[in-house]
Amino acid sequence: MSNRISLTRYLVEQQRDHGHIPSQLRLLLEVVARACKSISQAVNKGALGGVLGSAGSENVQGEVQKKLDIIANEVLIEANEWGGHLAAMASEEMDGIYVVPNRYPQGEYLLLFDPLDGSSNIDVNVSIGTIFSVLKKPEGSSGVDEKDFLQPGSQQVAAGYCVYGPQTTLVLTVGDGVAMFTLDREQGSFVLTQENVRIPEDTKEFAINMSNMRHWDAPVKRYIDECLAGKDGPRGKDFNMRWIASMVADVHRILTRGGIFMYPWDKREPEKAGKLRLMYEANPMAMLVEQAGGAATNARQRILDLQPTKLHERVSVVLGSKNEVERVTAYHLQG
Ligand code: AHM
Ligand code: MG
């Protein structure tokens, strides 16, 4: 037991040995982890805690909010607003940014989150999660506004998610590889359970919502057709499929055993670049995946290079095992 490394110790040692984590950032990440613990408690109580079902409201994107979407959003804001490490926050569940109130000191970081990802899985007891991304407020800007958030994902100083599944696991990068921490409920702390997470470059497993097949673009159809053709097709191997409909859970599987995840643009709503959100979902997941040796594109370009033009921007997402992501991207660039 004595060689167990807590999240706190991991962060302190990263700071001491590699100088990666300024103390304000360490504080921020610890507070986010604490908020995730509290969300995990609420998720676990389920019907007993009265947290299931719809809240009867819609978010800025016109999606029906679940009670847990709102609870998780509030937990993250309340936990983070007073510590002095943040200037402002932005969330998938809020129309505009949330500036740290005047009564608290303002820090130099910006926190973005999808408080409860995979909302359609809440009531059916399937894994869900919280995704977060940390940026630095641009130097020289006094005050803070929405445009301070519009930085490419390559500027993230930290990113991660917490998956609420059979175990609650926090997955984190501060730009020096990916580490996983499992929540020890008896001790109430996150314990390091895997360091230097690596995604295999090749895979035989893909994740996509197949019910959208008729709406796909030709290169996506080509890639999936080739996977489905298995041993007898051009790929010469059989593929397996998974689709959890919680990006956190699908990405967690990919970080654990490889695979490719796709939520591409499709013809259902052609004016939208995709379903998933660039700032709250794609950027943090792309940073984690790249830090683990994988790749992440919008089917044409590296996600982390995209310049956001608005907070709630959507994007097409292809991420996971490097060689497969490069193949899908090449099919798009050829076509
Ligand atoms: P949410 O943030 O409102 O929960 O939506 C995002 C989720 C992702 O977690 C998941 O990959 C995708 O939506 C599933 O979408 P679909 O139900 O269209 O398959
Ligand atoms: Mg989401």
Side-chain angles (χ1 to χ4, degrees):
M1 288 304 258
S2 59
N3 59 4
R4 286 170 35 130
I5 297 177
S6 65
L7 174 66
T8 304
R9 179 169 163 190
Y10 173 85
L11 293 172
V12 167
E13 289 180 352
Q14 283 279 321
Q15 183 179 354
R16 193 186 297 146
D17 301 343
H18 309 287
H20 283 303
I21 315 180
S23 50
Q24 290 289 300
L25 178 58
R26 178 159 65 83
L27 176 64
L28 191 169
L29 295 170
E30 294 218 47
V31 174
V32 169
R34 205 151 59 225
C36 289
K37 251 188 268 179
S38 138
I39 297 168
S40 173
Q41 295 283 5
V43 168
N44 272 198
K45 285 189 187 135
L48 297 176
V51 298
L52 303 186
S54 160
S57 51
E58 281 189 359
N59 66 14
V60 62
Q61 294 136 98
E63 298 158 341
V64 175
Q65 291 177 304
K66 302 277 186 168
K67 284 184 194 156
L68 263 176
D69 286 323
I70 294 177
I71 294 168
N73 196 59
E74 279 167 6
V75 167
L76 280 156
I77 289 187
E78 278 166 24
N80 279 287
E81 66 180 352
W82 51 267
H85 47 279
L86 283 180
M89 294 176 249
S91 160
E92 192 179 299
E93 300 301 338
M94 298 190 294
D95 300 8
I97 64 167
Y98 180 92
V99 178
V100 167
N102 283 335
R103 60 183 182 279
Y104 302 120
Q106 271 209 7
E108 55 183 344
Y109 290 101
L110 305 172
L111 176 66
L112 299 96
F113 46 83
D114 177 355
L116 222 286
D117 177 62
S119 305
S120 72
N121 281 325
I122 297 173
D123 295 350
V124 291
N125 201 357
V126 172
S127 295
I128 48 182
T130 297
I131 310 175
F132 59 92
S133 156
V134 185
L135 293 165
K136 249 185 139 170
K137 201 177 88 165
E139 301 219 342
S141 73
S142 63
V144 58
D145 63 30
E146 196 167 308
K147 70 174 183 330
D148 295 326
F149 284 81
L150 304 182
Q151 306 178 37
S154 56
Q155 297 299 308
Q156 293 171 106
V157 293
Y161 64 80
C162 186
V163 57
Y164 313 113
Q167 305 106 43
T168 288
T169 308
L170 183 81
V171 179
L172 178 68
T173 181
V174 289
D176 183 32
V178 176
M180 294 187 179
F181 303 84
T182 306
L183 180 61
D184 179 335
R185 287 190 191 279
E186 281 138 42
Q187 304 289 327
S189 62
F190 281 105
V191 178
L192 181 67
T193 40
Q194 207 187 333
E195 247 184 313
N196 300 322
V197 173
R198 299 306 290 169
I199 300 175
E201 289 187 356
D202 292 299
T203 182
K204 292 160 116 181
E205 198 161 65
F206 66 86
I208 191 166
N209 184 338
M210 294 285 286
S211 69
N212 297 324
M213 184 183 270
R214 71 189 187 285
H215 307 293
W216 291 342
D217 216 0
V220 177
K221 181 123 187 5
R222 172 182 173 195
Y223 175 76
I224 297 296
D225 280 348
E226 289 179 1
C227 293
L228 295 176
K231 268 204 180 87
D232 308 326
R235 302 300 307 276
K237 60 181 182 181
D238 290 334
F239 279 76
N240 185 30
M241 193 203 87
R242 287 286 185 279
W243 184 251
I244 302 175
S246 284
M247 189 190 199
V248 271
D250 279 312
V251 170
H252 194 67
R253 185 188 59 257
I254 288 171
L255 284 168
T256 306
R257 68 177 190 208
I260 181 169
F261 168 94
M262 291 193 269
Y263 211 122
W265 172 89
D266 66 41
K267 297 187 189 99
R268 280 174 300 168
E269 293 182 283
E271 68 294 347
K272 286 190 185 153
K275 174 181 179 179
L276 299 177
R277 268 69 33 143
L278 175 60
M279 310 284 291
Y280 317 110
E281 294 166 323
N283 273 341
M285 291 311 200
M287 181 175 182
L288 285 164
V289 164
E290 284 198 5
Q291 284 290 321
T297 74
N298 67 352
R300 291 169 196 280
Q301 272 172 281
R302 182 179 177 232
I303 284 176
L304 295 181
D305 286 338
L306 301 173
Q307 172 61 52
T309 57
K310 55 179 194 228
L311 209 49
H312 297 288
E313 186 160 332
R314 293 176 189 259
V315 68
S316 175
V317 175
V318 180
L319 60 76
S321 290
K322 202 169 182 188
N323 291 338
E324 295 300 307
V325 173
E326 282 173 0
R327 177 181 287 269
V328 174
T329 307
Y331 286 2
H332 281 81
L333 293 175
Q334 282 161 25

